[in-house]
Amino acid sequence: MKNYFTIILCVLHFVAFSQTNDPNHFLESIVCKESSKYHQSKIDSRNSVFSVDDKTDIKYAQFNWEVNPAVNFIDGKVRYKILAITDLDSFTLSIHSDLVIDSILYENQKLNPIRQNDEFLVVFSNSINKDNYFELTIFYHGAPPQSGFGSFIQDIHENTPVIWTLSEPYGASDWWPCKNDLKDKIDSTDIYVTTPMNNLAASNGKLMSIDTVGNQLVHHWRHRYPIASYLVAIGVTNYESYSNYLYEGKDTLEILNYVYPESLADAKIGTAETASMIHLYDSLFVKYGFFDEKYGHAEFGWGGGMEHQTMSFVTSFGFELTAHELAHQWFGDMVTCKSWEDIWLNEGFATYLSGLCYEHLLNGIYWIPFKRGNINRVTSQPGGSVKCTDTTNVNRIFDGRLSYSKGAMILHQLRWILGDDVFFSALKNYLNDPLLKYNFARTNDLVRHFEAVSGKDLKWYFKDWYEGEGYPSYSIHWQNINNGVTIQVNQSQSHPSVSFFKMILPIKVFQNGKDTLLRLNLEQNNQIFTININPIDSLQFDPDYWLISQNNILTSNEFVKFDDNLKVFPNPFKNNIEFKSIQDELQSISIYNDLGQLLKNIQKINQHEYLLNLENFAIGTYSIKCVTKNKVYFDKILKIN
């Protein structure tokens, strides 16, 4: 889902992506919208009143739904073909108490359900033996609840009625009888949606037909891949449809788009990048898992996006929203988290893959802002675990800072530690694992594949970064010595759950206009590294934004603080700051952020006074290095309103 950072889907209105826009605006938007989907922050987690059903495997479902987008009502029939995994004398499904069960058929016999809260139990007259199949058909009707999560919504767009569904995480049973869990995917489905004339019905799989029956249309969608209950969806209104295509060798994938008529022009612009995104994900990971059916988009009225299998529902057609929902077809749909505790396996990956689109597409110009924005978001608070610690709280499940941003950036850090070859090979193996592909996964399954390819024990990494809270800050002191340089690193932690973060530190050193990137393996506090290189001029910490860290400090014996010779005023300053060297000329001025990354560098000043305009800088503290003919100064400046 598109939650980008506070929960599951809370985004401001998305417009078509413009290369002048900061990607972090989109990230915040997505998260905002994905979270606003829910009107309650606490849910009951749908705990089963009856015994939890691990005794069956749903092999097939045929859905027959009749809806009128002008009315909040559904008339439904669901026929299941089910395998008994053990001897079975009863079967449990979930359905909202507002919906009426008209009848249940088993072997042409009517069964009387035992209903309690949002579940019902059917008891068979004769036990079903292990490894036998049985069929069950449920006829039902009613007005699905319009409060809660937005699972089934009757709404309008441009004064035209629309019905759309969004069932993640617990809402599928609000509008159809199902196993509302992350244990059993339905292996194969046929979906028939009956609507009034002049409507189209969007859904999962391949569109087989649209037939006229009396004064109604019957839309038949066929899906021949396993699907989790929360990913089944319909959208019904006066959609306009158009298709784009991806050509890979002799294979052609249809990208089918159902959009509101008033959005058609913007949608055609926004979805034009979809084929290149699919091609990118195919090349980095594995081939799109539903290639022989379709991919597509259906517009809906909720403020973000939802990765319904083979057809993402979106509120608009921005670059990052499109990339994020598409990414879920690999991470979330083909391989689905087996517990909401592991929601980062869906949302962290989708967030990171949208970043990979920034890295590889649009000339890469938004890759650095994407990483910087996610780091800033993660470190905006001192605590918080990627592992979801409260799966009864929808806002916690879809916490944009943790499940999305931190989830994405712990993947990025791991890529830095392991290298691209190992990182992407492990993810290919994860997606191709026959136990996981078109099935469910836990975080330990991912760890297993990273360890197998890398040959390294990575449990420490996931203990610190997946289960642990907070982030490190580094104090780095360097000085030139005979035949080299020493670098001493001290680390502090923002949260007591992790006593020390082991990490490979990316440090770039500069010598006479040339730079070298060092990988320093930090295993203990106050560790000293001695590097046998020529004397360096300066040092940068993590210039490419690999690491989750904040409030870092760089110091050196080469530097002295501002003194009577060098006047820097006013400090604090608003827009302009003046440098005045009394005894010798200024040579250069360099300004760094608190990550130690160079923001501005003025060379060859060769004068005693220099006025620097920093009105475009954000309010905050910066480190500044001033070089005169006889000294190197290093100190802090503060920008205020």
Side-chain angles (χ1 to χ4, degrees):
M1 238 193 281
K2 194 82 190 176
N3 167 305
Y4 268 50
F5 308 108
T6 48
I7 20 218
I8 192 181
L9 298 138
C10 168
V11 47
L12 309 173
H13 181 64
F14 255 46
V15 294
F17 183 86
S18 163
Q19 293 191 21
T20 62
N21 289 335
D22 185 337
N24 293 296
H25 164 72
F26 298 120
L27 201 57
E28 293 288 0
S29 284
I30 292 165
V31 175
C32 189
K33 288 228 169 188
E34 297 201 344
S35 55
S36 66
K37 165 176 87 177
Y38 302 105
H39 303 298
Q40 343 178 142
S41 62
K42 281 282 186 181
I43 57 174
D44 61 6
S45 80
R46 307 296 163 103
N47 291 323
S48 182
V49 175
F50 305 109
S51 60
V52 177
D53 178 22
D54 327 353
K55 301 178 181 180
T56 59
D57 181 3
I58 298 180
K59 294 297 184 180
Y60 173 76
Q62 182 188 92
F63 301 104
N64 294 81
W65 288 313
E66 183 174 341
V67 296
N68 181 339
V71 183
N72 176 39
F73 190 86
I74 187 167
D75 196 343
K77 179 181 81 169
V78 178
R79 179 170 66 88
Y80 285 120
K81 184 175 183 179
I82 304 168
L83 174 66
I85 298 174
T86 65
D87 292 345
L88 198 67
D89 56 14
S90 63
F91 181 62
T92 302
L93 288 174
S94 297
I95 190 170
H96 197 278
S97 57
D98 287 356
L99 300 179
V100 176
I101 297 176
D102 299 308
S103 62
I104 298 176
L105 293 182
Y106 163 67
E107 293 183 348
N108 296 319
Q109 301 176 17
K110 282 192 175 182
L111 300 179
N112 294 317
I114 302 171
R115 296 197 69 168
Q116 188 164 353
N117 297 336
D118 292 337
E119 292 179 314
F120 66 92
L121 176 75
V122 293
V123 180
F124 304 114
S125 55
N126 297 310
S127 293
I128 299 168
N129 293 331
K130 176 183 176 181
D131 297 330
N132 282 0
Y133 289 90
F134 66 97
E135 290 193 5
L136 203 66
T137 304
I138 302 103
F139 298 83
Y140 72 101
H141 71 275
Q146 293 289 287
S147 62
F149 321 133
S151 354
F152 183 101
I153 293 296
Q154 191 276 320
D155 201 359
I156 59 170
H157 66 94
E158 294 290 313
N159 298 315
T160 301
V162 58
I163 278 176
W164 49 265
T165 68
L166 196 169
S167 298
E168 189 179 23
Y170 300 109
S173 58
D174 284 352
W175 61 284
W176 59 281
C178 63
K179 291 174 72 173
N180 200 7
D181 60 26
L182 295 174
K183 296 179 179 179
D184 185 10
K185 291 190 177 185
I186 305 171
D187 293 2
S188 178
T189 58
D190 282 285
I191 298 172
Y192 294 87
V193 186
T194 301
T195 71
M197 302 292 287
N198 302 316
N199 288 283
L200 290 177
S203 194
N204 313 98
K206 185 176 181 65
L207 181 62
M208 305 305 295
S209 62
I210 303 177
D211 296 325
T212 302
V213 179
N215 62 347
Q216 294 181 307
L217 296 176
V218 179
H219 307 74
H220 176 201
W221 292 90
R222 174 175 292 168
H223 191 40
R224 291 297 179 259
Y225 293 90
I227 185 170
S229 297
Y230 79 89
L231 294 171
V232 175
I234 59 171
V236 178
T237 191
N238 64 330
Y239 285 123
E240 294 277 358
S241 69
Y242 67 93
S243 295
N244 304 116
Y245 295 90
L246 169 67
Y247 304 99
E248 288 192 350
K250 296 181 180 179
D251 294 331
T252 301
L253 172 67
E254 181 182 18
I255 303 168
L256 177 63
N257 304 283
Y258 277 20
V259 303
Y260 298 159
E262 62 269 21
S263 304
L264 183 60
D266 286 343
K268 286 186 173 181
I269 296 171
T271 59
E273 286 279 1
T274 308
S276 62
M277 293 174 179
I278 296 173
H279 181 73
L280 174 64
Y281 295 162
D282 283 355
S283 65
L284 292 175
F285 304 106
V286 299
K287 187 174 181 178
Y288 172 63
F290 315 103
F291 205 98
D292 58 341
E293 293 191 349
K294 75 164 187 314
Y295 181 63
H297 306 93
E299 192 169 1
F300 74 152
W302 179 72
M306 178 60 211
E307 62 274 13
H308 296 132
Q309 199 154 300
T310 74
M311 198 168 210
S312 294
F313 283 22
V314 294
T315 189
S316 56
F317 305 93
F319 182 91
E320 189 166 334
L321 183 63
T322 301
H324 181 102
E325 303 310 331
L326 170 63
H328 276 306
Q329 302 300 313
W330 284 259
F331 298 94
D333 292 9
M334 188 169 72
V335 177
T336 307
C337 65
K338 198 171 185 177
S339 165
W340 297 116
E341 181 177 272
D342 293 306
I343 184 60
W344 84 285
L345 293 177
N346 294 14
E347 299 301 348
F349 270 98
T351 302
Y352 190 56
L353 265 65
S354 63
L356 295 179
C357 286
Y358 284 134
E359 180 182 13
H360 293 277
L361 305 175
L362 303 177
N363 297 316
I365 60 176
Y366 292 110
W367 179 222
I368 289 292
F370 172 86
K371 293 184 288 184
R372 182 174 59 228
N374 276 283
I375 292 169
N376 289 341
R377 188 171 295 105
V378 173
T379 58
S380 64
Q381 298 179 37
S385 171
V386 175
K387 180 179 181 178
C388 180
T389 52
D390 183 1
T391 59
T392 69
N393 186 329
V394 173
N395 288 350
R396 177 61 184 91
I397 295 173
F398 299 100
D399 187 301
R401 186 176 70 90
L402 301 174
S403 300
Y404 290 69
S405 284
K406 192 172 183 181
M409 294 312 294
I410 69 172
L411 288 171
H412 189 58
Q413 283 188 153
L414 196 57
R415 178 182 169 189
W416 159 252
I417 292 169
L418 300 179
D420 278 12
D421 288 346
V422 169
F423 179 80
F424 288 105
S425 293
L427 292 181
K428 289 176 183 178
N429 293 350
Y430 169 78
L431 292 170
N432 276 325
D433 186 333
L435 297 177
L436 306 179
K437 191 173 187 179
Y438 303 114
N439 210 330
F440 299 102
R442 297 297 304 262
T443 295
N444 284 342
D445 296 309
L446 179 69
V447 177
R448 172 168 52 86
H449 281 288
F450 277 126
E451 290 184 333
V453 176
S454 68
K456 298 179 179 180
D457 182 350
L458 295 170
K459 295 177 183 61
W460 64 270
Y461 180 81
F462 286 90
K463 181 71 175 176
D464 287 352
W465 289 102
Y466 167 64
E467 296 182 20
E469 300 186 44
Y471 59 89
S473 297
Y474 298 99
S475 177
I476 300 171
H477 181 82
W478 65 270
Q479 69 179 76
N480 287 312
I481 59 173
N482 293 333
N483 301 318
V485 62
T486 62
I487 301 174
Q488 182 174 4
V489 183
N490 178 68
Q491 181 196 106
S492 59
Q493 301 79 36
S494 67
H495 191 274
S497 61
V498 180
S499 60
F500 184 79
F501 291 94
K502 293 192 296 183
M503 186 52 63
I504 296 176
L505 304 182
I507 293 182
K508 184 176 285 188
V509 296
F510 295 86
Q511 303 162 302
N512 300 320
K514 297 181 180 180
D515 61 80
T516 303
L517 184 64
L518 306 176
R519 293 172 60 94
L520 304 185
N521 188 12
L522 185 67
E523 296 184 323
Q524 61 187 20
N525 225 342
N526 293 310
Q527 189 169 346
I528 298 175
F529 302 90
T530 301
I531 299 102
N532 186 21
I533 56 176
N534 291 327
I536 68 172
D537 302 319
S538 62
L539 175 154
Q540 281 182 275
F541 175 73
D542 192 20
D544 297 314
Y545 294 92
W546 284 106
L547 306 186
I548 300 171
S549 69
Q550 197 62 279
N551 304 317
N552 303 302
I553 300 171
L554 302 179
T555 61
S556 170
N557 285 358
E558 309 296 310
F559 302 154
V560 296
K561 290 185 175 295
F562 302 152
D563 59 17
D564 291 340
N565 177 56
L566 181 66
K567 306 293 184 182
V568 180
F569 57 94
N571 188 14
F573 70 100
K574 292 185 176 181
N575 292 319
N576 297 307
I577 189 164
E578 187 171 351
F579 299 82
K580 188 173 182 179
S581 179
I582 306 300
Q583 298 174 356
D584 52 358
E585 291 182 344
L586 286 162
Q587 302 297 303
S588 66
I589 298 172
S590 304
I591 300 177
Y592 303 85
N593 63 14
D594 56 11
L595 289 176
Q597 294 157 332
L598 182 66
L599 303 179
K600 197 173 188 67
N601 190 21
I602 303 101
Q603 297 289 329
K604 299 179 180 179
I605 297 174
N606 298 326
Q607 57 192 47
H608 285 275
E609 298 180 12
Y610 189 82
L611 182 66
L612 183 59
N613 182 283
L614 298 176
E615 61 182 336
N616 293 327
F617 276 44
I619 294 167
T621 302
Y622 299 90
S623 298
I624 190 159
K625 174 185 173 184
C626 297
V627 180
T628 70
K629 280 189 175 182
N630 298 313
K631 285 186 181 180
V632 178
Y633 296 88
F634 186 88
D635 215 330
K636 298 285 188 179
I637 57 174
L638 173 64
K639 182 171 181 181
I640 59 175
N641 273 325

